[in-house]
Amino acid sequence: MVARVNQVEITYGEFKSRLESFERERGSIPREKWGEVLRGMLQEEVLLQGAMAEGLDKEASVTARLEQARRQVLIEELIRRKVLAQARVSDEEARKRYENSKPLFSTESVGTSHIMVKTQAEAEAILKELQAGTDFAELAKAKSQDTGSAEKGGDLGSLRRGQTVPEFEEEAFRLKDGELSAVIQTQYGFHILRGGPHATVVQPFDEVKDRIRQMLLQEKQRETFTALMADLEKRAATEIFEDRLR
């Protein structure tokens, strides 16, 4: 026994069970905090006894809620034992799904270069120079205000979806390799883009393994639940009278 409220004892086993439950939800609880957990259990028992003294456990509305809670706990425990505990996913299964579903784990990329300036007039003038045959990299070095890429001739490297603002991304992925864009505006300024090579990159298995395992686990749990439900319904004598619903 680790505590008592009137004649009701709180055992060490009950305390450990509550502590382990909290730690599953919140992580490890240091030993110096155990007293707080126990005091919480003590207060809970005091409140429970207060409710019983008021006769709340005899009220119809309360007993109905207690029964609903009892039903829910039993159902959840059945599902935990028969569904959640039964579904397992091996590394081999995850690898097989990966190999059979690589398009799901592929991302499109494109090489892109750009020249960025502050005004549309500047951008239009640069575009005319490019269309007249001036070298893109030389103009980028001389006039682009994106200093990070200007020194590399405007080269931004390989972009993936979601790495830049939508209007820039849309144009970058639309352009063919070597094609020039019209002037586009973003929150950063006015840009002329030059398209680069398009590629499809497949994410390595180790990067997506956990996602695949979770996906397969959910599939197995649904299948296991469906089978359990079918078996229970087959063995149960059920009747339903939808025509009586008003």
Side-chain angles (χ1 to χ4, degrees):
M1 179 183 66
V2 292
R4 180 190 291 123
V5 180
N6 296 320
Q7 301 304 310
V8 177
E9 297 180 351
I10 299 174
T11 67
Y12 182 74
E14 290 170 330
F15 164 75
K16 283 295 287 183
S17 178
R18 178 66 62 87
L19 180 68
E20 289 167 2
S21 176
F22 281 165
E23 289 186 326
R24 282 194 296 271
E25 296 174 1
R26 310 172 190 177
S28 180
I29 297 175
R31 197 175 189 87
E32 59 268 23
K33 297 288 187 180
W34 286 12
E36 294 180 16
V37 176
L38 182 58
R39 283 189 289 275
M41 294 179 70
L42 191 78
Q43 291 175 341
E44 185 181 286
E45 182 59 35
V46 169
L47 288 168
L48 176 62
Q49 291 187 24
M52 300 284 282
E54 294 287 330
L56 298 183
D57 59 318
K58 303 295 192 299
E59 290 187 7
S61 61
V62 175
T63 56
R65 286 161 59 196
L66 287 171
E67 173 58 20
Q68 183 59 41
R70 185 187 74 86
R71 290 164 61 92
Q72 192 61 38
V73 168
L74 289 171
I75 291 169
E76 288 175 358
E77 186 61 21
L78 177 69
I79 291 173
R80 187 186 70 79
R81 295 187 186 190
K82 298 290 187 179
V83 176
L84 303 183
Q86 300 297 320
R88 292 286 184 271
V89 177
S90 67
D91 285 342
E92 292 76 16
E93 289 173 310
R95 171 67 73 173
K96 183 177 179 181
R97 175 61 63 89
Y98 173 76
E99 295 296 338
N100 292 337
S101 308
K102 281 190 176 179
L104 291 176
F105 311 110
S106 300
T107 55
E108 186 184 359
S109 67
V110 65
T112 306
S113 299
H114 83 139
I115 298 170
M116 184 185 79
V117 290
K118 289 183 179 179
T119 69
Q120 185 166 3
E122 290 177 278
E124 295 288 357
I126 291 170
L127 180 59
K128 286 181 180 178
E129 290 187 66
L130 291 169
Q131 290 170 337
T134 305
D135 182 71
F136 189 98
E138 292 304 316
L139 271 178
K141 290 176 182 178
K143 298 188 176 182
S144 181
Q145 293 171 17
D146 176 10
T147 54
S149 66
E151 61 186 22
K152 296 180 287 187
D155 185 16
L156 291 171
S158 182
L159 296 179
R160 293 186 183 184
R161 296 282 187 185
Q163 285 188 309
T164 186
V165 292
E167 53 270 35
F168 193 100
E169 176 185 289
E170 182 180 350
E171 190 67 9
F173 279 90
R174 184 192 67 78
L175 294 172
K176 297 176 182 177
D177 192 359
E179 182 182 3
L180 290 174
S181 74
V183 174
I184 67 164
Q185 183 179 7
T186 71
Q187 65 198 69
Y188 304 107
F190 293 86
H191 312 255
I192 304 101
L193 281 63
R194 184 177 64 182
H198 290 248
T200 300
V201 179
V202 180
Q203 293 174 274
F205 175 69
D206 286 341
E207 285 187 13
V208 296
K209 179 173 62 177
D210 290 343
R211 201 169 95 205
I212 295 172
R213 289 177 67 90
Q214 185 61 31
M215 182 171 63
L216 287 173
L217 184 63
Q218 290 174 350
E219 288 178 7
K220 285 194 172 187
Q221 287 172 350
R222 284 195 297 269
E223 291 169 1
T224 305
F225 176 79
T226 299
L228 172 66
M229 198 71 233
D231 179 60
L232 292 174
E233 287 183 329
K234 183 179 179 181
R235 292 190 279 126
T238 61
E239 296 178 275
I240 189 165
F241 307 100
E242 290 191 21
D243 59 312
R244 297 181 185 178
L245 300 177
R246 296 288 188 271

